[in-house]
Amino acid sequence: MQFGLTDEQEMIVSTVRSFVENEIYPHEAEVERTGEVPAKLAEKIKQKTLDLGFYACNFPEEVGGAGLSHLEFALVERELGRGSMALTHFFGRPQNILMACNEEQRERYLLPAVRGERMDALAMTEPGAGSDVRGMKCTAKRDGGDWVVNGTKHFISGADHADFIIVFIATGEDDTPKGPKKRITTFLVDRGTPGFTIRDGYKSVSHRGYKNMILEFDDCRLPDAQVLGEVDGGFEVMNEWLYATRITVATMAVGRARRCFDLALNYSAERKQFGQPIGKNQGVSFQIADMITEIDAADWLTLASAWRLDQGLPANREIASAKLYASEMLARVTDTTLQIYGGMGLMDDFPIERFWRDARVERIWDGTSEIQRHIISRDLLRPLGA
């Protein structure tokens, strides 16, 4: 078994880490204070990413991406996880689901997104449909040659900067032995489409500056040309392309945990109480030992799930395990770091309280911890008929 990185992979890690430390860290405090990313700063980050050749690095070379493997992209996301999501958003990783575009859509959406000319966002969640995707009430109904869309989406990250949104909408319903079952279709919706409104969402304590938005559809008409994939084939598109988002959450959780751990480790060596560094006390030193063990375990679990994708192996359970463990590990690491810092950990003089707040959402979005446990348990029990 080979656990080491190649020279090229080591270069990817060092390049992205340097980028985050030099281009992201200096602006985090201001974004945290204002809750905004200045347009000039966003453009600067995007341009530097393009200059480095990392923009849309998650896409294959034939469409203009860097052609990174799943493992290599996980390494990129891990390093980006060290920085503010509001800022690293402009590092530019369009949704892989755009690979489902047909030839005509590639010219309007996929290729401009890969070149950094248009930004996308993904919309699935509704006020009454979070984990229960099939419970969505946003509908698209046939009217002549168009689809007429009505309904609301919320918690839509990145929609404030998006030029178009990839939206999952109910387009019908089937009767099944288990009751009615929604048919879902994926649509590409341009900002400015009549009947489509993007407005400010809720103020969150997590990831300030990385806004969630509310999308409203009021008799919004979309032609068939806006359907991504097949009509009623939204779940097929989702299952083929959206697995990567859970790996992203896991890898970014690992990156953030490592940054937090470095602060805890150094503070434990420098902070003195009773005439000696607090790290000499087992109450602290054992916490340090537990943290690095959990971080390393989450790291390997996450990279292993990405490696399985590269090998063409089943990875649904492994990805769910990585997302579950890494997100819950981050909560423990940030909380322990805050405890080591004591009262100062809650002050905004240090980024600890920010990491602590940010960590909470990781167990909710892109599939709650409960959903991940369901995926894992079903994968294990179904073959046994249970």
Side-chain angles (χ1 to χ4, degrees):
M1 300 177 71
Q2 175 56 259
F3 291 100
L5 300 181
T6 66
D7 290 344
E8 182 179 352
Q9 290 167 342
E10 291 284 8
M11 184 182 69
I12 289 172
V13 170
S14 63
T15 301
V16 179
R17 183 174 301 182
S18 177
F19 182 94
V20 172
E21 291 174 348
N22 293 307
E23 306 297 337
I24 303 298
Y25 285 6
H27 305 289
E28 289 180 333
E30 184 66 12
V31 170
E32 184 70 14
R33 185 184 67 81
T34 64
E36 301 285 342
V37 178
K40 287 185 178 179
L41 177 58
E43 184 60 32
K44 178 183 174 184
I45 293 171
K46 184 173 79 170
Q47 189 56 54
K48 289 197 172 185
T49 306
L50 286 162
D51 293 343
L52 280 174
F54 274 94
Y55 202 93
C57 60
N58 53 322
F59 278 75
E61 292 180 347
E62 60 261 29
V63 297
L68 298 188
S69 67
H70 290 289
L71 175 58
E72 290 163 346
F73 184 57
L75 295 173
V76 170
E77 292 282 33
R78 188 182 69 185
E79 298 309 313
L80 292 176
R82 291 174 175 267
S84 161
M85 286 191 72
L87 293 164
T88 58
H89 174 67
F90 299 99
F91 195 87
R93 291 93 74 209
Q95 297 287 338
N96 289 75
I97 199 171
L98 290 174
M99 288 299 293
C101 284
N102 59 35
E103 287 303 316
E104 187 272 335
Q105 290 169 342
R106 284 189 169 210
E107 297 300 322
R108 289 192 292 136
Y109 297 103
L110 171 61
L111 298 181
V114 170
R115 292 193 296 261
E117 297 165 1
R118 303 190 76 191
M119 293 196 76
D120 63 298
L122 189 75
M124 192 178 302
T125 305
E126 298 181 7
S131 297
D132 179 17
V133 177
R134 288 193 188 274
M136 65 175 60
K137 293 181 172 59
C138 186
T139 60
K141 296 183 178 179
R142 277 288 191 189
D143 183 39
D146 294 336
W147 295 90
V148 179
V149 183
N150 285 284
T152 301
K153 299 286 183 181
H154 76 164
F155 292 155
I156 310 306
S157 302
D160 49 332
H161 298 286
D163 299 291
F164 67 94
I165 317 289
I166 305 160
V167 191
F168 290 82
I169 303 173
T171 46
E173 191 173 85
D174 293 322
D175 290 324
T176 73
K178 294 183 179 181
K181 184 178 180 181
K182 296 278 179 67
R183 299 195 301 272
I184 308 297
T185 300
T186 313
F187 290 86
L188 297 162
V189 186
D190 292 305
R191 176 185 289 274
T193 299
F196 175 49
T197 304
I198 303 174
R199 63 180 178 88
D200 288 341
Y202 319 98
K203 289 187 177 180
S204 173
V205 301
S206 296
H207 300 296
R208 288 176 180 165
Y210 186 64
K211 298 181 180 180
N212 67 84
M213 308 299 285
I214 295 172
L215 313 183
E216 294 180 338
F217 296 89
D218 183 12
D219 287 338
C220 175
R221 300 186 75 89
L222 300 174
D224 277 334
Q226 300 308 115
V227 172
L228 180 64
E230 300 294 329
V231 172
D232 299 333
F235 270 96
E236 286 74 13
V237 173
M238 188 190 312
N239 291 333
E240 183 174 1
W241 296 108
L242 291 187
Y243 52 77
T245 61
R246 284 180 281 150
I247 294 183
T248 292
V249 173
T251 54
M252 296 188 82
V254 171
R256 203 164 299 125
R258 288 204 183 280
R259 181 179 177 187
C260 205
F261 173 80
D262 288 343
L263 292 169
L265 180 64
N266 290 322
Y267 192 78
S268 298
E270 296 167 0
R271 169 71 168 165
K272 290 185 178 180
Q273 289 286 277
F274 306 105
Q276 65 179 6
I278 61 174
K280 283 187 175 292
N281 302 315
Q282 286 186 348
V284 173
S285 64
F286 282 12
Q287 289 178 317
I288 293 293
D290 287 343
M291 281 197 287
I292 195 60
T293 300
E294 288 203 62
I295 292 169
D296 285 345
D299 203 356
W300 288 118
L301 188 61
T302 303
L303 295 180
S305 67
W307 176 86
R308 288 183 68 86
L309 288 178
D310 286 330
Q311 305 306 310
L313 298 171
N316 196 41
R317 173 172 62 83
E318 288 79 5
I319 294 171
S321 293
K323 198 275 183 184
L324 170 67
Y325 186 76
S327 62
E328 297 196 346
M329 172 278 298
L330 178 62
R332 292 188 290 270
V333 166
T334 54
D335 192 73
T336 301
T337 299
L338 195 153
Q339 191 71 18
I340 289 173
Y341 269 74
M344 290 306 297
L346 286 166
M347 304 300 114
D348 62 11
D349 301 68
F350 297 98
I352 310 304
E353 58 86 23
R354 167 161 59 90
F355 298 149
W356 182 58
R357 285 186 285 104
D358 290 350
R360 188 59 187 89
V361 74
E362 309 300 340
R363 288 177 277 164
I364 297 173
W365 60 12
D366 283 287
T368 63
S369 289
E370 291 74 21
I371 288 295
Q372 305 311 318
R373 287 185 168 93
H374 175 75
I375 293 170
I376 296 163
S377 61
R378 289 296 85 202
D379 186 84
L380 294 169
L381 289 167
R382 275 179 180 151
L384 302 178

